[in-house]
Amino acid sequence: MGLRKSAAEVFDALGEHYEEVFGQVPGQIEALDWLTARLPEGARVLDVGSGTGRPTAETLVRAGCDVTGIDVSAAMVALARAKVPGARFEQADVRTYTPPPGGFDAVCSFFPLLVMDQPEVAAALDRMASWTAPGGYFVMATVPGDIRGLDIEWMGHEVTVSSLSTEDHLARLADRGLEVLHHHTATFRPAGDGAVPEEHLFCYARRMP
C-alpha cells in the first residue's frame, strides 16, 4: 500500500496522455451538452478534477460560462492553463478547497474522486453539493461500486481506488438537498492497447431555487 501513488503523482505522470485516452467519453460530452443548454451567459461553473481542461472547461468557456477548474496535479493545471486560457485553473484538492461566497451556478465532477478513501468520496460529494447555489446544477460521472481501498493497475500505475454504489450516490445527493433529475450507466472502452471496458455512472442534479 505504501508504494501506491497519490492522485497528484499519477496525473502528473500521465499529462496529456490522459486526454488522449479519456478526452472523448460520449456520456461526458452528452452531459456537457445537457448542462450548457440550461446555463445562462456568464454562469459561474466549477470543474472539479479539471485535468487538461478538455473537454469540460473548454466546452463551458465556449458556451459563455465563467469557469474555474481545480485539480490536484500541478502538471494538469499547467496544461489546462495553456489549452483553455479563457478559464481559471488552480492546483487544489476537492477535500480542502474553499469556494467563493455564493458558490457556483453549476459544479461538474467527471471522475475526480476515485483515487481516495471511501469516506473521503462521501465527504467530497457532500462538499460539492454544498457549493451548488440555489437553482444551480450538479453534473457528475464516476465508476460506481461499493469499493474501498481496492489496489489496481490503471494506465500503467498502481493505485488504490474507492467508490460508492449507484444507490449510495443518488441517496447522498438527495439527502444534501439536490434533486436528481436523471441518471444512467454506460459502458466505455478507453483507447489504447490492453484497455478494458469501464462502467460509468452519470448523474444530473439540481438544487431547487
Side-chain angles (χ1 to χ4, degrees):
M1 291 285 288
L3 297 178
R4 304 283 158 170
K5 296 179 180 178
S6 68
E9 291 171 324
V10 170
F11 286 96
D12 279 346
L14 287 175
E16 292 202 63
H17 184 50
Y18 180 79
E19 184 183 329
E20 294 168 2
V21 176
F22 288 100
Q24 292 295 322
V25 177
Q28 185 172 349
I29 304 300
E30 180 181 319
L32 288 168
D33 288 344
W34 181 91
L35 180 62
T36 54
R38 287 159 175 80
L39 293 177
E41 182 84 13
R44 301 159 300 156
V45 185
L46 178 67
D47 179 13
V48 178
S50 45
T52 67
R54 301 195 303 207
T56 303
E58 182 178 66
T59 300
L60 292 163
V61 167
R62 286 178 177 171
C65 299
D66 179 6
V67 182
T68 299
I70 62 170
D71 202 288
V72 294
S73 165
M76 289 295 189
V77 169
L79 283 168
R81 287 172 175 167
K83 290 173 178 281
V84 191
R88 295 178 301 279
F89 296 96
E90 305 174 27
Q91 186 180 1
D93 192 315
V94 64
R95 294 168 289 190
T96 56
Y97 174 70
T98 300
F104 295 91
D105 300 308
V107 176
C108 296
S109 172
F110 292 109
F111 309 104
L113 307 183
L114 293 165
V115 188
M116 57 177 66
D117 197 9
Q118 195 176 57
E120 295 175 317
V121 174
L125 279 174
D126 292 352
R127 288 172 61 78
M128 292 187 293
S130 74
W131 302 339
T132 306
Y137 295 92
F138 176 66
V139 178
M140 64 158 290
T142 192
V143 177
D146 185 5
I147 301 163
R148 183 171 188 184
L150 178 65
D151 294 333
I152 64 170
E153 182 174 323
W154 180 76
M155 294 189 72
H157 297 271
E158 294 184 342
V159 296
T160 302
V161 299
S162 301
S163 188
L164 303 175
S165 68
T166 295
E167 295 74 19
D168 284 346
H169 276 96
L170 300 180
R172 195 160 202 100
L173 294 177
D175 287 347
R176 275 33 180 202
L178 296 181
E179 180 184 1
V180 177
L181 304 175
H182 169 78
H183 75 278
H184 72 277
T185 57
T187 301
F188 175 72
R189 181 183 288 275
D193 296 335
V196 297
E198 299 179 351
E199 182 183 70
H200 291 169
L201 167 67
F202 293 91
C203 181
Y204 310 169
R206 189 184 189 200
R207 184 176 298 285
M208 299 311 293

